[in-house]
Amino acid sequence: MIPVELAPEPINFDRKVRRPGLDAIAELVGEIPQVPRPGPRRAKVADRREEIPPSRLPAYWRRALDDLMDAYHRLCAYTALYIEPGTGGRSVDHVIPKSLRWDRAYEWSNYRLACSLVNAKKTARTTVLDPFEIAHGWFALELVCFQVRPGQGLDSTIRQRVQHTINALALNDRRYRDQRAEYAHAYFDREITWSYVVRRAPFVAYELRAQGRLHPEDE
């Protein structure tokens, strides 16, 4: 993992995601939505918004996927690996789970672009580190087997949280290790350029530079 900066909210996000989502929530507690929609009104499922089962919230956040892919350059926030068009599984992770904060279910700032494998591991965990809040060097990469490990010099609390995040998200799953290795070895063999590694695997690129493994012309 490497730090990720919050991208600006798309200009059409409110219309496509937030407004329909909040109207759906109003219906689910028996209120009248602000903007009428075609079809029958949703049945009431709870008396209060915080009592709505997360499974009943319409997945309007999926409408933001194309914008997330563009805003974050198709990079999974947790693996820092490129999500391939067509074959890469993309998903919206709610960093604050819907089960805890209904009012964050349809908020751009609560979304992290995540590959489907990572999101399936994270589920509703609140104990993994947020890519928006980490610092460079918290996660390091071993360049033999390409496993992620805690960085050097971390205090014990941060080190424990980093290790927990690695374990919880299975960041050392063989599929991720193989993908990191493929980028690194292709770079070492001059099959791909340094700029390509930076675009497709910025965590690998950061570690190659930090560990002095760049070709002379890229230093």
Side-chain angles (χ1 to χ4, degrees):
M1 288 174 67
I2 55 175
V4 178
E5 291 187 7
L6 174 64
E9 181 179 306
I11 58 174
N12 59 0
F13 180 83
D14 188 72
R15 175 181 59 80
K16 289 199 312 183
V17 180
R18 182 184 293 114
R19 189 73 268 153
L22 293 179
D23 279 349
I25 287 172
E27 289 184 288
L28 292 172
V29 294
E31 298 176 4
I32 298 174
Q34 291 190 15
V35 180
R37 64 179 181 84
R41 184 182 299 180
R42 293 181 176 86
K44 179 180 177 179
V45 300
D47 292 324
R48 299 186 302 165
R49 284 162 168 75
E50 55 267 32
E51 296 173 350
I52 299 173
S55 61
R56 300 299 297 270
L57 296 174
Y60 290 127
W61 48 82
R62 292 177 184 162
R63 296 179 177 180
L65 267 170
D66 287 342
D67 288 327
L68 284 166
M69 293 282 274
D70 290 341
Y72 295 106
H73 311 292
R74 308 186 71 93
L75 292 168
C76 170
Y78 297 97
T79 65
L81 291 168
Y82 190 82
I83 301 174
E84 294 289 347
T87 57
R90 61 182 194 168
S91 68
V92 179
D93 167 54
H94 290 74
V95 69
I96 301 175
K98 303 181 291 293
S99 57
L100 295 181
R101 291 285 300 272
W102 65 267
D103 57 329
R104 304 297 295 167
Y106 302 106
E107 289 298 325
W108 173 261
S109 62
N110 193 40
Y111 296 167
R112 307 292 181 265
L113 177 62
C115 68
S116 298
L117 289 173
V118 161
N119 213 353
K121 291 289 186 181
K122 182 175 179 289
T123 59
R125 297 175 192 268
T126 59
T127 53
V128 302
L129 289 166
D130 180 359
F132 286 13
E133 297 179 353
I134 67 172
H136 276 299
W138 285 18
F139 293 79
L141 184 63
E142 180 266 306
L143 296 179
V144 177
C145 295
F146 291 89
Q147 295 194 77
V148 183
R149 55 176 174 75
Q152 297 293 320
L154 300 177
D155 69 45
S156 60
T157 300
I158 293 176
R159 184 179 183 83
Q160 289 174 7
R161 294 193 66 193
V162 169
Q163 188 63 61
H164 170 75
T165 299
I166 293 169
N167 295 342
L169 300 182
L171 294 182
N172 286 325
D173 182 285
R174 181 173 179 176
R175 287 165 288 191
Y176 303 139
R177 290 188 286 112
D178 286 351
Q179 197 169 0
R180 296 178 198 123
E182 183 176 349
Y183 282 115
H185 290 304
Y187 171 73
F188 293 151
D189 295 339
R190 298 183 183 273
E191 296 172 357
I192 58 176
T193 64
W194 169 244
S195 62
Y196 189 86
V197 182
V198 171
R199 291 195 307 272
R200 294 296 190 103
F203 177 47
V204 174
Y206 179 87
E207 288 296 305
L208 291 178
R209 180 179 293 279
Q211 298 183 41
R213 298 295 299 276
L214 300 189
H215 297 307
E217 62 272 23
D218 297 321
E219 293 178 351

